[in-house]
Amino acid sequence: MGFMRVVLVAVLCSFALHAGFSVTNAQLSPTFYRTTCPNLFHIVFQVIFQASTTDPRIGASLLRLHFHDCFVQDIDILSEKINLNNDNKKLWSISKVKGCDASVLLNNTDTIQSEQDAAPNINSLRGLDVVNNIKTAVEDSCPETVSCADILAIAAEVGSVLGGGPGWPVLLGRRDSLTANRTLANQNLPAPFFNLTQLKAAFAVQGLNTTDLVALSGGHTFGRAHCSTFNNRLYNFNNSGNPDPTLNTTYLATLRLICPQNATGNNLTNLDLTTPDQFDNKYYSNLQHLNGLLQSDQELFSTPGADTIPIVNSFSSDQNAFFANFVASMIKMGNIGVLTGTDGEIRSQCNFVNGNSFGLASMASKDPKQKMVSQC
């Protein structure tokens, strides 16, 4: 009960922060829905809190959804649009696929290849059904008003707060994309086996620097990972026939019990072996003791001479410094390639574009439960 009181106080403080925060950036504002959907944050929190009572991983999963949405950027795409007023004519439209635009939520249709089937996402993304539940509740209160992209951004912050982590003034006003890009999801999302050079390059493409890399990696302070994401470290690291030398040998033995060499790779283990369901700075002390689960985690501390090492040490010794930098980096990431104004749309269902956007109403089932389910 003590921990839940802390969480509820943090949530109330977060709501107050949203209500009173008046600073805006060039495109987004934390008060965007102040008059059009004043209960938005309360609605989102209630749905996620209810989900968390049976799924302790949901906060981490929603944080990851926002990350995987924002990292898939694209340029404007020239697309064929069906003229609903004259079936004999075709129009052309510029559809924008940017960064934090809820493209990750779109299901497969005749014209859309879902990002959920990209290699970094397949059988991995979770919380999709919770996002659908949030959207339903928001539509009941504020029809055709709040974008799915903004719901993802708010859900990420609520996930942090419910885990005991920081809250922040979520900048709002994003609109939803009209399509997705599976190719760029495969290309842009950093892999769990990336080395530090590859990680820095992946973040630099998004306009994120080394401090952002270390701070956002701290999101692995809670949640789970499949054996398939780190099995190479246990048995045949870099095709050496040996385990990763930067992996603590005691931890190695534990992980081998969870992930036998001939297992399917679907077994799960905690990303943070110290406090697996709490958002704190123990992720960084784990790295210092060579207990990072993913190669991409341990690279931050074990790459010789890396400029990430002092940042890891700083965050490990000062949780407030980690929280402050995490908040700054989350806000920065949330601004990547947003659609605003008249670009994109406000989807009525998060996993499909609106029926009149490209004449897609007859091209796919509009059952909101199709595909939008949590993966293991």
Short mmCIF file of all heavy atoms in Angstrom, two decimals, residues 237-281:
data_model
loop_
_atom_site.label_atom_id
_atom_site.label_comp_id
_atom_site.label_asym_id
_atom_site.label_seq_id
_atom_site.Cartn_x
_atom_site.Cartn_y
_atom_site.Cartn_z
N PHE A 237 28.81 -16.08 -28.89
CA PHE A 237 28.89 -14.64 -29.10
C PHE A 237 29.80 -14.32 -30.28
O PHE A 237 30.96 -14.74 -30.32
CB PHE A 237 29.40 -13.96 -27.83
CG PHE A 237 29.43 -12.46 -27.91
CD1 PHE A 237 28.25 -11.74 -28.02
CD2 PHE A 237 30.64 -11.77 -27.88
CE1 PHE A 237 28.27 -10.35 -28.09
CE2 PHE A 237 30.67 -10.39 -27.94
CZ PHE A 237 29.48 -9.67 -28.05
N ASN A 238 29.29 -13.58 -31.23
CA ASN A 238 30.04 -13.20 -32.43
C ASN A 238 30.67 -14.41 -33.12
O ASN A 238 31.81 -14.34 -33.63
CB ASN A 238 31.12 -12.17 -32.09
CG ASN A 238 30.54 -10.81 -31.77
OD1 ASN A 238 29.39 -10.51 -32.09
ND2 ASN A 238 31.33 -9.97 -31.10
N ASN A 239 29.94 -15.54 -33.10
CA ASN A 239 30.39 -16.79 -33.75
C ASN A 239 31.72 -17.29 -33.18
O ASN A 239 32.47 -17.98 -33.86
CB ASN A 239 30.54 -16.57 -35.27
CG ASN A 239 29.21 -16.29 -35.94
OD1 ASN A 239 28.21 -16.95 -35.65
ND2 ASN A 239 29.18 -15.30 -36.83
N SER A 240 31.96 -16.99 -31.91
CA SER A 240 33.21 -17.42 -31.27
C SER A 240 33.11 -18.81 -30.66
O SER A 240 34.13 -19.41 -30.31
CB SER A 240 33.59 -16.43 -30.17
OG SER A 240 32.61 -16.45 -29.12
N GLY A 241 31.88 -19.33 -30.51
CA GLY A 241 31.69 -20.59 -29.82
C GLY A 241 31.73 -20.44 -28.31
O GLY A 241 31.62 -21.44 -27.58
N ASN A 242 31.86 -19.21 -27.83
CA ASN A 242 31.95 -18.92 -26.40
C ASN A 242 30.95 -17.84 -26.01
O ASN A 242 30.45 -17.10 -26.88
CB ASN A 242 33.37 -18.44 -26.04
CG ASN A 242 34.41 -19.50 -26.31
OD1 ASN A 242 34.30 -20.63 -25.83
ND2 ASN A 242 35.43 -19.14 -27.09
N PRO A 243 30.65 -17.72 -24.72
CA PRO A 243 29.73 -16.66 -24.28
C PRO A 243 30.38 -15.28 -24.37
O PRO A 243 31.60 -15.16 -24.50
CB PRO A 243 29.42 -17.05 -22.83
CG PRO A 243 30.58 -17.86 -22.39
CD PRO A 243 31.05 -18.60 -23.61
N ASP A 244 29.56 -14.27 -24.28
CA ASP A 244 30.03 -12.89 -24.30
C ASP A 244 30.92 -12.66 -23.07
O ASP A 244 30.48 -12.85 -21.93
CB ASP A 244 28.81 -11.96 -24.25
CG ASP A 244 29.18 -10.49 -24.38
OD1 ASP A 244 30.36 -10.13 -24.22
OD2 ASP A 244 28.25 -9.69 -24.63
N PRO A 245 32.18 -12.26 -23.26
CA PRO A 245 33.07 -12.07 -22.12
C PRO A 245 32.66 -10.91 -21.22
O PRO A 245 33.17 -10.81 -20.08
CB PRO A 245 34.43 -11.80 -22.78
CG PRO A 245 34.10 -11.29 -24.14
CD PRO A 245 32.84 -11.99 -24.54
N THR A 246 31.75 -10.03 -21.69
CA THR A 246 31.30 -8.93 -20.84
C THR A 246 30.08 -9.30 -20.01
O THR A 246 29.46 -8.43 -19.40
CB THR A 246 30.98 -7.68 -21.69
OG1 THR A 246 29.84 -7.94 -22.52
CG2 THR A 246 32.16 -7.29 -22.56
N LEU A 247 29.74 -10.57 -19.96
CA LEU A 247 28.58 -11.03 -19.20
C LEU A 247 29.07 -11.70 -17.91
O LEU A 247 29.88 -12.63 -17.94
CB LEU A 247 27.76 -12.02 -20.03
CG LEU A 247 26.44 -12.53 -19.45
CD1 LEU A 247 25.49 -11.37 -19.14
CD2 LEU A 247 25.78 -13.49 -20.42
N ASN A 248 28.60 -11.19 -16.79
CA ASN A 248 28.93 -11.76 -15.48
C ASN A 248 28.69 -13.27 -15.48
O ASN A 248 27.63 -13.74 -15.89
CB ASN A 248 28.06 -11.07 -14.42
CG ASN A 248 28.34 -11.53 -13.01
OD1 ASN A 248 28.12 -12.69 -12.68
ND2 ASN A 248 28.80 -10.61 -12.18
N THR A 249 29.68 -14.04 -15.03
CA THR A 249 29.60 -15.50 -15.15
C THR A 249 28.47 -16.09 -14.29
O THR A 249 27.85 -17.09 -14.68
CB THR A 249 30.93 -16.14 -14.76
OG1 THR A 249 31.32 -15.69 -13.45
CG2 THR A 249 32.02 -15.77 -15.76
N THR A 250 28.20 -15.49 -13.14
CA THR A 250 27.09 -15.96 -12.32
C THR A 250 25.76 -15.69 -13.02
O THR A 250 24.86 -16.56 -13.06
CB THR A 250 27.09 -15.27 -10.95
OG1 THR A 250 28.34 -15.54 -10.29
CG2 THR A 250 25.94 -15.76 -10.08
N TYR A 251 25.65 -14.53 -13.58
CA TYR A 251 24.45 -14.17 -14.34
C TYR A 251 24.31 -15.06 -15.56
O TYR A 251 23.21 -15.50 -15.92
CB TYR A 251 24.54 -12.70 -14.74
CG TYR A 251 23.27 -12.08 -15.28
CD1 TYR A 251 22.01 -12.50 -14.86
CD2 TYR A 251 23.35 -11.03 -16.19
CE1 TYR A 251 20.86 -11.90 -15.35
CE2 TYR A 251 22.20 -10.42 -16.69
CZ TYR A 251 20.96 -10.86 -16.26
OH TYR A 251 19.82 -10.26 -16.74
N LEU A 252 25.42 -15.37 -16.20
CA LEU A 252 25.43 -16.26 -17.36
C LEU A 252 24.82 -17.61 -17.00
O LEU A 252 23.98 -18.15 -17.73
CB LEU A 252 26.85 -16.44 -17.87
CG LEU A 252 27.09 -17.54 -18.92
CD1 LEU A 252 26.33 -17.23 -20.20
CD2 LEU A 252 28.59 -17.71 -19.19
N ALA A 253 25.23 -18.17 -15.87
CA ALA A 253 24.71 -19.47 -15.45
C ALA A 253 23.21 -19.41 -15.22
O ALA A 253 22.46 -20.33 -15.58
CB ALA A 253 25.44 -19.93 -14.19
N THR A 254 22.75 -18.32 -14.61
CA THR A 254 21.32 -18.14 -14.37
C THR A 254 20.54 -18.06 -15.68
O THR A 254 19.50 -18.70 -15.85
CB THR A 254 21.07 -16.87 -13.55
OG1 THR A 254 21.74 -16.99 -12.28
CG2 THR A 254 19.59 -16.65 -13.32
N LEU A 255 21.06 -17.29 -16.61
CA LEU A 255 20.38 -17.11 -17.89
C LEU A 255 20.36 -18.39 -18.71
O LEU A 255 19.40 -18.66 -19.44
CB LEU A 255 21.05 -15.99 -18.69
CG LEU A 255 20.89 -14.58 -18.10
CD1 LEU A 255 21.68 -13.56 -18.93
CD2 LEU A 255 19.43 -14.17 -18.03
N ARG A 256 21.41 -19.21 -18.59
CA ARG A 256 21.42 -20.47 -19.33
C ARG A 256 20.35 -21.44 -18.82
O ARG A 256 19.83 -22.25 -19.59
CB ARG A 256 22.81 -21.12 -19.23
CG ARG A 256 23.83 -20.50 -20.17
CD ARG A 256 25.18 -21.18 -20.06
NE ARG A 256 26.05 -20.83 -21.18
CZ ARG A 256 27.31 -21.24 -21.30
NH1 ARG A 256 27.85 -22.02 -20.35
NH2 ARG A 256 28.03 -20.89 -22.35
N LEU A 257 20.00 -21.33 -17.54
CA LEU A 257 18.91 -22.16 -17.01
C LEU A 257 17.57 -21.71 -17.59
O LEU A 257 16.68 -22.52 -17.86
CB LEU A 257 18.88 -22.08 -15.49
CG LEU A 257 20.06 -22.72 -14.74
CD1 LEU A 257 19.95 -22.45 -13.25
CD2 LEU A 257 20.10 -24.22 -15.00
N ILE A 258 17.41 -20.40 -17.76
CA ILE A 258 16.18 -19.86 -18.30
C ILE A 258 16.09 -20.08 -19.80
O ILE A 258 15.02 -20.35 -20.35
CB ILE A 258 16.08 -18.35 -17.98
CG1 ILE A 258 16.06 -18.13 -16.47
CG2 ILE A 258 14.85 -17.72 -18.64
CD1 ILE A 258 16.22 -16.68 -16.06
N CYS A 259 17.23 -20.03 -20.46
CA CYS A 259 17.31 -20.10 -21.93
C CYS A 259 18.27 -21.21 -22.35
O CYS A 259 19.42 -20.94 -22.73
CB CYS A 259 17.78 -18.77 -22.51
SG CYS A 259 16.83 -17.34 -22.00
N PRO A 260 17.84 -22.47 -22.28
CA PRO A 260 18.70 -23.57 -22.74
C PRO A 260 19.09 -23.38 -24.21
O PRO A 260 18.38 -22.72 -24.98
CB PRO A 260 17.82 -24.80 -22.56
CG PRO A 260 16.78 -24.40 -21.57
CD PRO A 260 16.54 -22.95 -21.79
N GLN A 261 20.21 -23.96 -24.58
CA GLN A 261 20.77 -23.71 -25.90
C GLN A 261 19.81 -24.09 -27.02
O GLN A 261 19.77 -23.43 -28.06
CB GLN A 261 22.09 -24.46 -26.06
CG GLN A 261 22.86 -24.07 -27.31
CD GLN A 261 24.31 -24.51 -27.23
OE1 GLN A 261 24.70 -25.27 -26.35
NE2 GLN A 261 25.13 -24.02 -28.15
N ASN A 262 19.04 -25.15 -26.84
CA ASN A 262 18.16 -25.62 -27.90
C ASN A 262 16.70 -25.20 -27.70
O ASN A 262 15.80 -25.76 -28.32
CB ASN A 262 18.24 -27.15 -28.00
CG ASN A 262 19.63 -27.61 -28.38
OD1 ASN A 262 20.30 -26.98 -29.22
ND2 ASN A 262 20.09 -28.70 -27.78
N ALA A 263 16.48 -24.21 -26.83
CA ALA A 263 15.12 -23.74 -26.58
C ALA A 263 14.63 -22.93 -27.78
O ALA A 263 15.40 -22.52 -28.65
CB ALA A 263 15.09 -22.89 -25.31
N THR A 264 13.33 -22.67 -27.81
CA THR A 264 12.73 -21.95 -28.93
C THR A 264 13.07 -20.47 -28.92
O THR A 264 12.95 -19.80 -29.93
CB THR A 264 11.21 -22.10 -28.91
OG1 THR A 264 10.70 -21.50 -27.70
CG2 THR A 264 10.81 -23.56 -28.96
N GLY A 265 13.48 -19.95 -27.80
CA GLY A 265 13.77 -18.52 -27.71
C GLY A 265 12.62 -17.69 -27.21
O GLY A 265 12.73 -16.48 -27.08
N ASN A 266 11.48 -18.34 -26.90
CA ASN A 266 10.31 -17.60 -26.46
C ASN A 266 10.22 -17.44 -24.94
O ASN A 266 9.32 -16.76 -24.45
CB ASN A 266 9.03 -18.27 -26.97
CG ASN A 266 8.86 -18.11 -28.47
OD1 ASN A 266 9.25 -17.10 -29.03
ND2 ASN A 266 8.31 -19.13 -29.12
N ASN A 267 11.11 -18.11 -24.21
CA ASN A 267 11.12 -17.92 -22.76
C ASN A 267 11.44 -16.47 -22.44
O ASN A 267 12.14 -15.79 -23.19
CB ASN A 267 12.16 -18.85 -22.12
CG ASN A 267 11.78 -20.30 -22.22
OD1 ASN A 267 10.73 -20.64 -22.77
ND2 ASN A 267 12.63 -21.17 -21.72
N LEU A 268 10.96 -16.01 -21.28
CA LEU A 268 11.12 -14.62 -20.88
C LEU A 268 11.99 -14.51 -19.64
O LEU A 268 11.98 -15.39 -18.77
CB LEU A 268 9.77 -13.99 -20.59
CG LEU A 268 8.84 -13.67 -21.76
CD1 LEU A 268 7.46 -13.34 -21.24
CD2 LEU A 268 9.39 -12.53 -22.59
N THR A 269 12.70 -13.39 -19.53
CA THR A 269 13.36 -13.07 -18.28
C THR A 269 13.32 -11.56 -18.08
O THR A 269 13.04 -10.80 -19.01
CB THR A 269 14.81 -13.57 -18.24
OG1 THR A 269 15.30 -13.48 -16.89
CG2 THR A 269 15.71 -12.77 -19.17
N ASN A 270 13.60 -11.10 -16.87
CA ASN A 270 13.54 -9.68 -16.55
C ASN A 270 14.69 -8.92 -17.20
O ASN A 270 15.83 -9.39 -17.21
CB ASN A 270 13.61 -9.49 -15.04
CG ASN A 270 12.45 -10.15 -14.31
OD1 ASN A 270 11.32 -10.13 -14.80
ND2 ASN A 270 12.72 -10.72 -13.15
N LEU A 271 14.41 -7.74 -17.72
CA LEU A 271 15.47 -6.89 -18.23
C LEU A 271 16.35 -6.39 -17.09
O LEU A 271 17.56 -6.20 -17.28
CB LEU A 271 14.87 -5.70 -18.98
CG LEU A 271 14.39 -5.98 -20.41
CD1 LEU A 271 13.42 -4.91 -20.89
CD2 LEU A 271 15.57 -6.08 -21.36
N ASP A 272 15.76 -6.15 -15.94
CA ASP A 272 16.49 -5.69 -14.76
C ASP A 272 16.36 -6.76 -13.69
O ASP A 272 15.28 -6.97 -13.14
CB ASP A 272 15.90 -4.36 -14.29
CG ASP A 272 16.59 -3.79 -13.05
OD1 ASP A 272 17.38 -4.51 -12.42
OD2 ASP A 272 16.31 -2.63 -12.72
N LEU A 273 17.47 -7.45 -13.40
CA LEU A 273 17.38 -8.54 -12.44
C LEU A 273 17.28 -8.05 -11.00
O LEU A 273 17.02 -8.85 -10.09
CB LEU A 273 18.60 -9.47 -12.59
CG LEU A 273 19.93 -9.09 -11.91
CD1 LEU A 273 20.86 -10.30 -11.89
CD2 LEU A 273 20.60 -7.92 -12.57
N THR A 274 17.43 -6.76 -10.75
CA THR A 274 17.42 -6.23 -9.39
C THR A 274 16.01 -5.83 -8.95
O THR A 274 15.50 -6.31 -7.94
CB THR A 274 18.35 -5.00 -9.29
OG1 THR A 274 19.63 -5.33 -9.82
CG2 THR A 274 18.50 -4.57 -7.84
N THR A 275 15.39 -4.92 -9.70
CA THR A 275 14.02 -4.46 -9.40
C THR A 275 13.23 -4.51 -10.71
O THR A 275 13.02 -3.47 -11.35
CB THR A 275 14.04 -3.03 -8.82
OG1 THR A 275 14.81 -2.18 -9.69
CG2 THR A 275 14.65 -3.01 -7.44
N PRO A 276 12.77 -5.67 -11.12
CA PRO A 276 12.27 -5.87 -12.49
C PRO A 276 11.01 -5.11 -12.85
O PRO A 276 10.77 -4.87 -14.04
CB PRO A 276 12.02 -7.38 -12.55
CG PRO A 276 11.87 -7.82 -11.13
CD PRO A 276 12.77 -6.93 -10.34
N ASP A 277 10.19 -4.72 -11.88
CA ASP A 277 8.93 -4.04 -12.20
C ASP A 277 8.92 -2.60 -11.71
O ASP A 277 7.87 -1.96 -11.70
CB ASP A 277 7.75 -4.80 -11.58
CG ASP A 277 7.57 -6.17 -12.20
OD1 ASP A 277 7.77 -6.30 -13.42
OD2 ASP A 277 7.24 -7.12 -11.46
N GLN A 278 10.07 -2.09 -11.31
CA GLN A 278 10.15 -0.73 -10.78
C GLN A 278 11.02 0.13 -11.68
O GLN A 278 12.09 -0.29 -12.13
CB GLN A 278 10.71 -0.74 -9.36
CG GLN A 278 10.66 0.61 -8.67
CD GLN A 278 10.97 0.51 -7.19
OE1 GLN A 278 10.83 -0.56 -6.60
NE2 GLN A 278 11.39 1.61 -6.60
N PHE A 279 10.57 1.34 -11.93
CA PHE A 279 11.34 2.28 -12.73
C PHE A 279 12.30 3.03 -11.80
O PHE A 279 11.89 3.89 -11.04
CB PHE A 279 10.42 3.26 -13.46
CG PHE A 279 11.10 4.01 -14.57
CD1 PHE A 279 10.88 3.66 -15.89
CD2 PHE A 279 11.96 5.05 -14.29
CE1 PHE A 279 11.52 4.34 -16.92
CE2 PHE A 279 12.61 5.74 -15.30
CZ PHE A 279 12.39 5.39 -16.62
N ASP A 280 13.57 2.66 -11.87
CA ASP A 280 14.59 3.27 -11.02
C ASP A 280 15.92 3.27 -11.77
O ASP A 280 15.96 3.01 -12.98
CB ASP A 280 14.69 2.55 -9.67
CG ASP A 280 14.95 1.05 -9.83
OD1 ASP A 280 15.53 0.63 -10.86
OD2 ASP A 280 14.56 0.28 -8.93
N ASN A 281 17.01 3.53 -11.08
CA ASN A 281 18.32 3.60 -11.74
C ASN A 281 19.14 2.33 -11.58
O ASN A 281 20.34 2.33 -11.87
CB ASN A 281 19.11 4.80 -11.23
CG ASN A 281 19.51 4.68 -9.76
OD1 ASN A 281 18.86 3.95 -8.99
ND2 ASN A 281 20.56 5.37 -9.36
#
